[in-house]
Amino acid sequence: MKHPICPKCKSANVGVILWGYQLAKDKEQFEKDLTSGKIHLGGCIISDDDPIWHCNVCNNEFGSRFRTLEEL
Ligand SMILES: [Zn+2]
């Protein structure tokens, strides 16, 4: 999965937002990524325009959940 750059602050320090827990196959790695800011947890309510990327610098959330899931 290629990482985007935050459109707001141009930082590459961007984590992916996981909607639900279905992608957490490796629990140890999952928690490590969660702590390091590589991934973020979204809510359980899924709408049509959920962001997929979370900027760790300015907390901006952007991107499309649907498009990235196809790329996984
Ligand atoms: Zn940013």
Side-chain angles (χ1 to χ4, degrees):
M1 197 193 330
K2 54 179 190 280
H3 261 63
I5 285 174
C6 176
K8 208 169 164 186
C9 70
K10 311 295 182 199
S11 169
N13 188 2
V14 169
V16 67
I17 301 170
L18 296 182
W19 296 95
Y21 292 86
Q22 74 273 18
L23 294 178
K25 285 168 190 156
D26 186 336
K27 199 163 181 276
E28 213 169 285
Q29 183 65 39
F30 175 77
E31 282 171 3
K32 217 157 71 180
D33 288 348
L34 199 61
T35 307
S36 69
K38 204 173 157 194
I39 55 176
H40 293 265
L41 288 184
C44 292
I45 300 164
I46 293 174
S47 66
D48 286 343
D49 59 349
D50 291 320
I52 186 70
W53 301 109
H54 176 101
C55 175
N56 292 318
V57 177
C58 70
N59 289 324
N60 182 33
E61 293 184 339
F62 58 96
S64 165
R65 179 169 62 86
F66 297 106
R67 208 168 66 193
T68 306
L69 279 178
E70 283 169 20
E71 289 169 3
L72 282 173

